[in-house]
Amino acid sequence: LADACLSVKAHLLHLSTDFVFDGEDGPYKEEDQANPISYYGLSKWRSEQILQNHDCDWTVLRTIIVYGTADDLSRGNIVLWGRGALKKQEPLNIIDDQYRSPTLAEDLAQACLLVIEKKALGVYNASGKDIMSIFEMIQRMADFYKCDKSIINRISTATLNQRAKRPPKTGFILDKAITQLGYKPHSFEEGLAIIEQQILKQENQS
């Protein structure tokens, strides 16, 4: 892709991830040293390295847990899953030792447009502005949807026996994107409100 972009003088915008970091010292700036602990994170980091050593015009946007909704989604996301699970009022076991900055899809799209409009090159962080544990995320969703929080049980990552390691705490420092791009991410609750309006519109149209 980088070779093709160079040949036609195109700007390559690559979406990357917080999983390029090990999660031992979050939140992270763009310049912090990557140290992926999963193959997914390693594949993204190697992709970034290819671009950093290439002559094409390139931009890397690192993001975290993208959530949103649209017609005929091919897969869900943590907000859509959490919304459905909370409304069913079934007990939920949620990890409390992984911290992230969930990102509204519209915010990430805005960041992509800003990069292209400003012809900004290099690495930028583009995530939500709130850093929270997954447990807190589901609790805040319960508050937003006025659901019973007593059904949310704390568990640790170790109890899940996940094959791929996850960084314990990421989150991004967004100063560079805010200052240089004009990036304006929504708060988590603002994002939930936007998604809720979209879901209700979809339901009314169906």
Side-chain angles (χ1 to χ4, degrees), residues 92-108:
L92 300 175
N93 295 323
I94 307 296
I95 52 175
D96 66 353
D97 54 357
Q98 289 185 31
Y99 292 78
R100 303 286 184 262
S101 296
T103 308
L104 180 66
E106 281 81 355
D107 285 347
L108 181 57

Side-chain angles (χ1 to χ4, degrees), residues 17-18 20-21 25-34 45 48 62 64 123-126 131 169-177:
T17 174
D18 55 325
V20 300
F21 298 109
D25 195 29
Y28 291 94
K29 303 188 300 293
E30 286 84 353
E31 301 79 17
D32 288 332
Q33 180 59 49
W45 175 232
E48 290 190 24
R62 292 176 179 155
I64 307 173
V123 180
Y124 289 87
N125 292 335
I131 301 173
K169 182 178 182 180
T170 59
F172 285 150
I173 295 168
L174 300 172
D175 294 355
K176 182 179 177 182

Side-chain angles (χ1 to χ4, degrees), residues 2 12 49 66 118 167 183:
L12 178 55
Q49 289 177 301
V66 179
K118 295 179 180 296
Y183 181 55

Side-chain angles (χ1 to χ4, degrees), residues 31-150:
E31 301 79 17
D32 288 332
Q33 180 59 49
N35 184 33
I37 57 176
S38 68
Y39 186 78
Y40 169 69
L42 179 62
S43 70
K44 286 291 193 179
W45 175 232
R46 286 179 174 171
S47 299
E48 290 190 24
Q49 289 177 301
I50 288 171
L51 295 180
Q52 289 173 8
N53 292 292
H54 205 280
D55 290 330
C56 74
D57 287 343
W58 60 268
T59 309
V60 168
L61 278 181
R62 292 176 179 155
T63 195
I64 307 173
I65 304 187
V66 179
Y67 67 92
T69 189
D71 292 333
D72 301 319
L73 279 179
S74 60
R75 57 176 292 182
N77 54 70
I78 192 167
V79 165
L80 296 183
W81 172 83
R83 180 182 183 274
L86 287 166
K87 289 179 180 292
K88 289 178 182 176
Q89 292 292 286
E90 297 173 353
L92 300 175
N93 295 323
I94 307 296
I95 52 175
D96 66 353
D97 54 357
Q98 289 185 31
Y99 292 78
R100 303 286 184 262
S101 296
T103 308
L104 180 66
E106 281 81 355
D107 285 347
L108 181 57
Q110 178 209 31
C112 292
L113 288 171
L114 288 168
V115 163
I116 300 306
E117 289 170 1
K118 295 179 180 296
K119 297 182 172 59
L121 304 179
V123 180
Y124 289 87
N125 292 335
S127 69
K129 62 183 180 181
D130 299 333
I131 301 173
M132 67 195 85
S133 70
I134 306 300
F135 179 81
E136 182 187 346
M137 191 185 310
I138 300 300
Q139 281 207 316
R140 287 169 69 164
M141 289 179 63
D143 286 336
F144 180 85
Y145 297 119
K146 296 180 172 56
C147 293
D148 181 10
K149 289 196 290 188
S150 69

Side-chain angles (χ1 to χ4, degrees), residues 177-191:
I178 290 170
T179 301
Q180 296 186 15
L181 301 179
Y183 181 55
K184 297 177 181 178
H186 292 83
S187 70
F188 186 54
E189 281 73 16
E190 288 170 342

Side-chain angles (χ1 to χ4, degrees), residues 6-19:
L6 180 62
S7 69
V8 297
K9 295 183 172 59
H11 183 171
L12 178 55
L13 174 53
H14 176 56
L15 296 181
S16 191
T17 174
D18 55 325
F19 277 32

